[in-house]
Amino acid sequence: MKLTACLASTALYLSLGLPQISAAQSVPDAPKADPAMEVVVVRGSRLPESVPGDVKPELVIGTFEIRTTGATSLPELLLTLLPQTQSGARRGDNKPILLVNGRRVADFSEIRAIPVRAIRRVEVYPEDVALRYGFPADQKVVNLILVGRFSINGITGGIGQSADAERETYDLVLDSTRIDTNGRSVFSFDAQKASGVSEEDLGLSLSPGGIPSIRSILPETETYRFSGAVGKSVARLGEQGYVTMGVDAQSETSQSILSRSLTGSRLARDTETTKAKSSVTAEGVVKDRRWTAIVSALSEDQNTRTDWADGRARDRTNQQLTGASFDGTLAGPVPGLLAGTGAFSLRTQASAERLESDYTRGLLAGSNDLDRTKVDVNGSFTIPLASRKAAGSRFGDLSLTLNGELGSSSDFGGSGGWGTGLNWSPTNELQITTRYSTSEKLPTLEQLGGPQTNIPSASVYDARTGLSLRLDETRGGNGALLPEQQRDFILGASFSPLQIDGLNLSLTYARNKTEDYIGSIGVNIRAAETAFSSRYQRNSAGTLIGQDTRALNLGDRQTETVSFGLSYSRNFGQAPQFLRDIVSKVQKAQDANPDATTLPGGLPPGITPPPGFKPPPGGTPPDFNQLMQAAKIPGGRWNIGLNYAYTLDDTLILKNSGVKLDLLDGGALDTEMGRRHHLTLDGGLNYRGIGGRLAAVWKGEGEIATGYGTERLFVDDQATLDLSLFASTDLMPQLNMAVPFLNGAQIRFEINNLTDSERKVTNSTGLVPTAYQSGLLEPEGRSYKLSLKKQF
């Protein structure tokens, strides 16, 4: 038994890049595997750290699959999962809600530095699961299950270069992670620097044949960031009591060159931004009810200084946002219902924010102070109506979810919303969801009271005259904004056929209605300028000399979208030959003498433990069955994820005029609006630590009818490809043995915008207006980056 356990530990650790437990350590007769050693995920299997209840994840990714993505940090891993984590609800930024071991986190900064090697499993849940944590059902939920014990330090350095713009980027990341049965700590320090890009660098001019300007298209930036979180089990909080304290601090400076002064000196706009967040999260379980309480505080300062051509004092804008909040959640099962155990959640949020801003622009000066106190209470109740566990049930699993929300804010008064949904799973392979909800979304304090900023010599296309101009552009807050009233209907289905392992399909229909939709106008088509004429300043000759691009309530918008998702992965190849030889030796020695403690010929020489994992006290290596499993680990894996959205309808009824615009048929207000097709694709291949990934985004063509005669703008479809090639020693045990220093190392080479794709905008004559030159829209073009990472 001792021989088997020790060799099992050696083989399995080497195969996954996990640590080896020394053969000199004592080994219990009844070893228990550390959770980090999971190799194969059995479909439908659950862990204690999974989301509570009977809800099933749409997608589960195990340890080996995670390693083969080539990602080394959590943000990189989430990018590879982008097609699978996009919601069909089409609301907001479409980013998923993140959990760690089934628990909420106060802020992404608490977990962003967690290395991929510390993640045992990733579970992706449908939108309805968000209700169990007090969030709207318009985001998917991603649960990260961490290994039981982990200790690592890392350093990452990268250098990048744009092919056309010659923009140089540099970044350095230092991180440290510790995980054990009593808690975890995660720290990260980031430093980034990027050079600026001017119109002169790309040879651009708004006047055909004119002299390129020194005006910046991309600013020169320098950013420093520190994030840290410490979590600890606290028995006094009851069962599973846990407290986490987190902090995130960031400083950024940027400089943009605007033009030259009358004396020939450069005119610049300098911006300094500092941000700080802190939070304390406490949680526990009382009688199967999980409670969470999060207290957080934030402070953000931004100062901008802008030069004038005539030498007068610089324009100045200052903005300071401070706030504190409380977020409490109680959730758990409700037994004894019609067809089994239901679930409930109750969430209470209270916050206080203050925005102080002021500006000085020439002889003009102003200030604005805004305060907001807000209280929200929302709850959800899931009732099982049928269960396949019940004898004679023909309906499979069927549940009804009800949710409601009440809120009150000091600036907009009371608000409310409600929703209802059905979740039906007639078989283990198929899940169908339908949902209707209403809600209210308040404008942010920055949207309401941000300081007015004047951007001199901005590049603008005037649809009325068909000319590209340089003029003053006004940005900042708009105190007249009203809340958005949102109504959503969703019908979706996901299918994971048992006959095809690794295949997941989804289909979603979404109808979104928004009253008082908040947005801005990018192209001043006739209908928009008529409805919002005060946003445009023209001289007596009708030439546009200034415009206001601050956010406003454009009107009532309705969209209908059908989206299709697919993810598929397959393993191939065999484990390294030396690992299979170890298995053979163990089997022969065990057959000859079940009580043997030594192996004829000994272990392979030079075996050293890769960094990252430490065994529990005394060592608890896996049993012989896990050794056999390790020998069956494939040599490689390929995967593909796809999400395609087709917009059936997208209309906007302008607020002041009542004119109805079909954004898919010429009524778009921006070159990014009115695109019917959108495709996101991510695929990867990895064989024993060497691999690559290809990410693609395709947007369909668009069209803008300006309303002035027959003039139209045509936006070509565009496909952008990003390629990443990497070599990681995580899955190279023989190299680790030969050169121990390379344990935990990765080299990565990235090419963004591989084909140098450009967003092309042309007018009715087929020419590109100079304000829409591709260099102005996408100045970086193709770019390259080389990065090295070493973990200790």
Side-chain angles (χ1 to χ4, degrees):
M1 172 62 72
K2 291 184 178 181
L3 170 65
T4 299
C6 289
L7 292 180
S9 173
T10 297
L12 184 59
Y13 288 154
L14 286 175
S15 65
L16 280 181
L18 305 182
Q20 175 202 348
I21 297 178
S22 169
Q25 290 178 302
S26 62
V27 180
D29 287 338
K32 181 180 179 181
D34 185 279
M37 300 173 190
E38 180 182 45
V39 178
V40 178
V41 176
V42 179
R43 182 178 294 198
S45 64
R46 294 183 57 81
L47 297 176
E49 301 89 349
S50 296
V51 169
D54 295 331
V55 62
K56 298 178 181 178
E58 294 179 339
L59 179 67
V60 178
I61 303 173
T63 309
F64 177 71
E65 295 172 303
I66 293 171
R67 297 293 182 83
T68 57
T69 63
T72 60
S73 65
L74 180 56
E76 291 175 0
L77 179 62
L78 293 176
L79 280 177
T80 68
L81 299 177
L82 183 62
Q84 296 96 320
T85 58
Q86 288 181 313
S87 171
R90 322 308 294 181
R91 279 289 185 190
D93 58 13
N94 214 2
K95 293 181 180 179
I97 298 166
L98 296 178
L99 309 175
V100 174
N101 294 337
R103 300 170 172 174
R104 286 186 56 192
V105 293
D107 190 78
F108 179 69
S109 61
E110 290 186 5
I111 60 174
R112 69 183 184 91
I114 291 179
V116 167
R117 298 179 65 178
I119 302 174
R120 174 187 177 186
R121 181 189 281 197
V122 177
E123 301 173 332
V124 181
Y125 290 89
E127 291 85 346
D128 269 11
V129 175
L131 292 171
R132 302 192 178 202
Y133 292 88
F135 293 91
D138 57 7
Q139 299 166 278
K140 289 193 175 183
V141 176
V142 174
N143 184 33
L144 309 171
I145 298 180
L146 306 182
V147 300
R149 292 179 177 273
F150 187 84
S151 178
I152 206 167
N153 300 310
I155 179 171
T156 305
I159 181 171
Q161 173 77 56
S162 298
D164 297 326
E166 297 185 359
R167 190 186 206 200
E168 297 179 349
T169 60
Y170 306 90
D171 57 79
L172 174 69
V173 180
L174 306 175
D175 59 78
S176 177
T177 301
R178 303 287 184 272
I179 302 174
D180 59 30
T181 55
N182 294 320
R184 68 174 182 267
S185 64
V186 182
F187 298 98
S188 174
F189 172 78
D190 301 34
Q192 299 176 335
K193 186 174 183 178
S195 60
V197 178
S198 70
E199 295 176 5
E200 186 177 46
D201 294 333
L202 298 177
L204 302 177
S205 173
L206 285 191
S207 303
I211 300 175
S213 166
I214 64 170
R215 180 183 178 84
S216 295
I217 307 174
L218 294 175
E220 179 182 348
T221 62
E222 193 169 315
T223 305
Y224 300 95
R225 184 176 185 180
F226 171 79
S227 300
V230 177
K232 198 75 174 176
S233 296
V234 179
R236 284 180 295 179
L237 294 179
E239 183 183 354
Q240 298 183 34
Y242 202 84
V243 173
T244 304
M245 293 181 288
V247 63
D248 183 35
Q250 182 175 347
S251 173
E252 179 179 349
T253 59
S254 68
Q255 182 180 77
S256 296
I257 304 302
L258 304 176
S259 61
R260 294 191 183 276
S261 68
L262 300 178
T263 60
S265 61
R266 292 190 172 195
L267 303 177
R269 181 173 66 249
D270 298 304
T271 301
E272 296 181 1
T273 304
T274 58
K275 300 179 180 180
K277 298 179 183 178
S278 61
S279 63
V280 177
T281 302
E283 56 190 323
V285 176
V286 178
K287 296 182 179 180
D288 294 330
R289 272 66 168 173
R290 177 176 292 279
W291 62 270
T292 304
I294 302 173
V295 178
S296 59
L298 66 88
S299 176
E300 299 181 5
D301 291 273
Q302 186 176 78
N303 302 303
T304 302
R305 303 291 183 266
T306 305
D307 291 328
W308 278 87
D310 57 10
R312 75 178 78 171
R314 306 183 85 187
D315 282 357
R316 175 182 56 84
T317 62
N318 302 310
Q319 175 179 297
Q320 182 180 44
L321 175 67
T322 56
S325 64
F326 168 80
D327 189 344
T329 306
L330 179 66
V334 182
L337 298 181
L338 180 64
T341 300
F344 82 97
S345 72
L346 182 65
R347 183 183 184 188
T348 300
Q349 296 172 275
S351 63
E353 291 181 305
R354 180 175 179 82
L355 179 68
E356 300 174 88
S357 63
D358 62 79
Y359 70 91
T360 301
R361 188 168 66 246
L363 299 178
L364 301 177
S367 63
N368 194 9
D369 293 344
L370 294 179
D371 293 281
R372 172 183 292 172
T373 56
K374 191 170 182 288
V375 177
D376 284 299
V377 178
N378 67 69
S380 69
F381 187 33
T382 300
I383 306 169
L385 303 178
S387 173
R388 63 171 57 92
K389 296 178 182 178
S393 175
R394 300 180 180 179
F395 297 100
D397 293 333
L398 178 65
S399 63
L400 171 69
T401 299
L402 305 172
N403 71 284
E405 177 181 5
L406 291 175
S408 177
S409 66
S410 58
D411 47 356
F412 289 104
S415 63
W418 63 275
T420 182
L422 280 173
N423 194 315
W424 180 36
S425 180
T427 69
N428 288 326
E429 303 167 292
L430 178 64
Q431 183 168 309
I432 300 173
T433 302
T434 181
R435 175 156 201 81
Y436 177 81
S437 63
T438 69
S439 62
E440 181 177 271
K441 182 181 179 182
L442 303 185
T444 66
L445 288 186
E446 292 93 328
Q447 289 177 315
L448 291 169
Q452 287 193 18
T453 304
N454 181 65
I455 309 299
S457 302
S459 303
V460 173
Y461 173 77
D462 181 12
R464 180 170 167 179
T465 62
L467 298 176
S468 296
L469 307 170
R470 292 218 186 265
L471 48 77
D472 291 343
E473 180 181 331
T474 302
R475 299 178 185 176
N478 176 10
L481 288 177
L482 299 175
E484 290 184 345
Q485 307 297 325
Q486 302 178 345
R487 290 178 291 167
D488 301 320
F489 172 75
I490 300 171
L491 176 62
S494 61
F495 182 59
S496 301
L498 296 176
Q499 299 86 350
I500 308 177
D501 187 40
L503 176 64
N504 295 274
L505 304 172
S506 65
L507 184 66
T508 305
Y509 166 80
R511 185 181 68 225
N512 309 109
K513 293 184 178 180
T514 306
E515 297 178 12
D516 293 320
Y517 171 75
I518 296 176
S520 57
I521 302 173
V523 179
N524 61 321
I525 66 174
R526 185 169 190 167
E529 186 167 349
T530 300
F532 305 102
S533 57
S534 62
R535 290 300 182 105
Y536 303 93
Q537 297 82 50
R538 296 183 181 274
N539 60 20
S540 57
T543 302
L544 187 66
I545 58 175
Q547 71 174 13
D548 186 343
T549 58
R550 294 177 298 162
L552 71 162
N553 295 108
L554 290 173
D556 299 339
R557 186 175 182 180
Q558 175 175 305
T559 63
E560 290 185 71
T561 307
V562 175
S563 57
F564 168 74
L566 175 150
S567 65
Y568 188 42
S569 62
R570 298 290 294 179
N571 298 327
F572 64 91
Q574 293 181 307
Q577 183 63 47
F578 88 98
L579 177 59
R580 287 180 280 144
D581 290 343
I582 292 177
V583 174
S584 178
K585 279 188 175 184
V586 172
Q587 288 177 313
K588 291 179 180 179
Q590 199 73 35
D591 291 342
N593 181 6
D595 297 323
T597 59
T598 61
L599 180 66
L603 293 174
I607 295 178
T608 56
F613 291 80
K614 291 182 178 179
T620 54
D623 58 22
F624 184 71
N625 290 332
Q626 286 183 310
L627 170 63
M628 298 299 295
Q629 187 182 54
K632 296 177 182 179
I633 292 174
R637 175 178 177 265
W638 64 265
N639 75 290
I640 185 172
L642 176 149
N643 186 281
Y644 169 69
Y646 179 82
T647 303
L648 301 168
D649 177 61
D650 193 353
T651 58
L652 176 66
I653 300 176
L654 293 177
K655 188 175 183 65
N656 293 339
S657 65
V659 173
K660 184 176 182 179
L661 301 177
D662 185 345
L663 305 185
L664 298 174
D665 188 22
L669 301 179
D670 189 85
T671 57
E672 284 299 307
M673 271 185 172
R675 302 208 185 203
R676 191 181 293 272
H677 307 275
H678 191 280
L679 173 71
T680 304
L681 175 71
D682 186 277
L685 174 70
N686 188 316
Y687 183 69
R688 296 186 180 178
I690 298 177
R693 302 201 66 83
L694 182 66
V697 175
W698 175 68
K699 300 177 183 179
E701 61 186 14
E703 185 177 331
I704 301 175
T706 65
Y708 298 104
T710 60
E711 179 65 15
R712 287 177 174 259
L713 294 176
F714 300 94
V715 184
D716 285 2
D717 65 332
Q718 182 182 13
T720 304
L721 304 178
D722 296 334
L723 177 65
S724 174
L725 303 174
F726 55 85
S728 176
T729 61
D730 273 2
L731 298 175
M732 299 180 183
Q734 288 174 301
L735 179 60
N736 290 338
M737 293 191 311
V739 188
F741 176 77
L742 293 180
N743 291 349
Q746 186 193 74
I747 182 171
R748 177 189 295 264
F749 180 64
E750 302 172 59
I751 308 177
N752 293 319
N753 197 358
L754 178 65
T755 60
D756 202 14
S757 172
E758 300 177 347
R759 192 193 325 171
K760 187 176 182 181
V761 180
T762 57
N763 58 22
S764 298
T765 63
L767 299 177
V768 176
T770 53
Y772 290 121
Q773 295 174 86
S774 60
L776 295 176
L777 302 179
E778 295 176 344
E780 285 200 78
R782 183 191 297 115
S783 63
Y784 308 92
K785 183 177 181 180
L786 178 67
S787 59
L788 298 172
K789 185 179 185 73
K790 180 68 176 73
Q791 295 175 321
F792 304 90

